[in-house]
Amino acid sequence: MKRLLLHNLHERLGARFEEYGDWQLPLFYESIITEHTYVRVSSALFDLSYLGRIEISGKDAEPFLERHVTRHLAKRPVGRGFYALMLTEKGTIFADCVVYKLRERFIVSVNPLVKEKVLERLKQDAPEGVLLHDISEKILCFALQGRRAQFHLQRLTDMELSRLKSGFACEAFATGGAEVVIGRVGYTGEDGFEILLDCSYGERFFETILELGTSEYLIPAGVGARNSLRIEAGFLLYGSEIDEETTPFEADLAQFVSADKQFIGREVFLSEREKALKKKIVSISVEQPRIPREGSPIFADGKRVGTVTRGTYSPVLSRSIALGYIEPRFAQIGRELEIEIRGRRVKAKVARKPFYLKKHTQ
Amino acid sequence: MPERPQKALFTKTHEWLLVDGEIGTVGITDYAITHLSDIVFIDLPTVGTITKQNESFGEIESVKAVASLNAPVSGEVVEVNESIRERLEVLSEDTYGAGWLIKIKLSDVGELKNLMNLAEYNKFCEEQESH
């Protein structure tokens, strides 16, 4: 089992741990629902150092990476990041990633379940003049999420954070002798930042920001809340909703594929645009507090039509919600479904996606 | 956290039992509640249900997990705490009082010797924590 560099600090803060892939991660410190709610009404701090971080540099880095990701890289200015997919030759989802475009280099952040295979694929394909570094151990990653995120982070830096516009703006800058990369991104449906910094500063950063923030309603949060937040906000998780058996169309991620550029898997992607789907992702709202779990069968008119990928309790809606795949002809909003939870069927409905949408206030 | 009552008996699956005459009141312990966290649903039997020692009489669900509720003793359910379903916070606020789940009319008092007393249960929980 791998432990986070700050494992002992998380333990001191009262974390309960859970296994995820090879990792032992903080599931929650106080309670999942509390931490979820803090992100929605104030802010919370996550240690995401288990995510894979790959740095790509060298003079040919851009055309090289361009072949692998589904969105335009060259067209973007330095200081912009984006969410994109990497496809297999068969047009299915090899990985999803966040790419930061910095001066003369890129940082690609991926799910830990796919880091090794992504690294392997990039290495196989990298020409001379492209440098690949797995910086996952050297550089830690934290996320500060919630409407008060900027307030809390601004107390630690002179860099004017309002300069980073929402929608993946990112910047590398030196502070206190170390380099920090900050991106305005999240996975929670709220405003927020990801902070990448050298491992020697990790503990001090985490402790300081919490210390300053305690009186201002900032708490640490674990992967339990990260999961319920992302489901509420309609974000997919590799290994749960997306994998090499799933196409961008089925997962409703085709908007993150720019068909007018070259990338691995493009031909199949284009040919599939015309084809009928076998399954389609849906958001499901459950009319009971019981939570559908991974693999729960979905029925329509008494017939099996799909499977739940992940369910949770939504503190915002005060009910259970889930994501899952069903036959496309049943995927219209409001369609009545039944989900079998441990042998008993409960009523459910196809819901509008996402379950939660932030009110734009900034 | 509420204090565990001196007279209570406990199961290895973290249910408590307080016996008064032939009636046993059953709940789940503070240990179970802390470890489940975020309880969102509880499924309880109806009055008249027959319970068997160590067998499931319902389930409790949290955001992260589902746990079976196991009967500390065999017998018949004579009362169910219906109001707890709507007020799950009572489970942690008054675990060994208003947080009770069902009352069982015991069919075999001899089964009580299979349960842990307070000192044994406290030690059991410490061992579980150190795993």
Side-chain angles (χ1 to χ4, degrees), chain A residues 231-242:
Chain A
I231 293 176
E232 231 177 47
F235 295 118
L236 309 187
L237 175 68
Y238 202 91
S240 183
E241 286 80 32
I242 47 177

Side-chain angles (χ1 to χ4, degrees), chain A residues 80-81 95 134 172 253-254 264 319 323-324 341-342 354:
Chain A
R80 270 283 158 182
D134 179 358
L253 294 175
I264 293 167
R319 59 164 58 204
L323 298 173
I341 307 173
R342 294 182 298 288

Side-chain angles (χ1 to χ4, degrees), chain B residues 6 10 21 23-24 33 60 67 69 80 86-87 99 105 112 131:
Chain B
Q6 272 300 333
F10 301 89
I23 303 296
I33 290 161
I60 186 160
L69 297 166
V80 176
E86 304 302 320
R87 298 191 56 217
K105 186 174 171 193
L112 296 178
H131 272 284

Side-chain angles (χ1 to χ4, degrees), chain B residues 7-119:
Chain B
K7 281 170 55 191
L9 297 170
F10 301 89
T11 66
K12 286 189 173 164
T13 48
H14 305 286
E15 289 85 11
W16 56 263
L17 176 77
L18 275 164
V19 182
D20 183 12
E22 59 176 0
I23 303 296
T25 302
V26 180
I28 56 167
T29 67
D30 58 287
Y31 183 95
I33 290 161
T34 313
H35 280 74
L36 275 165
S37 183
D38 302 300
I39 294 165
V40 295
F41 176 73
I42 191 158
D43 190 22
L44 296 174
T46 49
V47 169
T49 303
I50 302 299
T51 61
K52 249 193 110 186
Q53 190 172 43
N54 297 330
E55 286 189 9
S56 174
F57 69 83
E59 65 178 27
I60 186 160
E61 179 158 17
S62 74
V63 174
K64 229 20 230 185
V66 187
S68 180
L69 297 166
N70 298 317
V73 284
S74 306
E76 185 186 340
V77 177
V78 292
E79 211 179 324
V80 176
N81 188 356
E82 299 290 350
S83 68
I84 202 87
R85 289 183 231 260
E86 304 302 320
R87 298 191 56 217
L88 293 168
E89 67 280 3
V90 174
L91 287 172
S92 44
E93 287 165 8
D94 192 10
T95 309
Y96 301 97
W100 66 279
L101 301 178
I102 57 169
K103 292 186 182 177
I104 299 176
K105 186 174 171 193
L106 277 61
S107 60
D108 180 3
V109 183
E111 285 178 346
L112 296 178
K113 67 176 186 321
N114 304 332
L115 301 170
M116 289 179 273
N117 64 26
L118 178 63

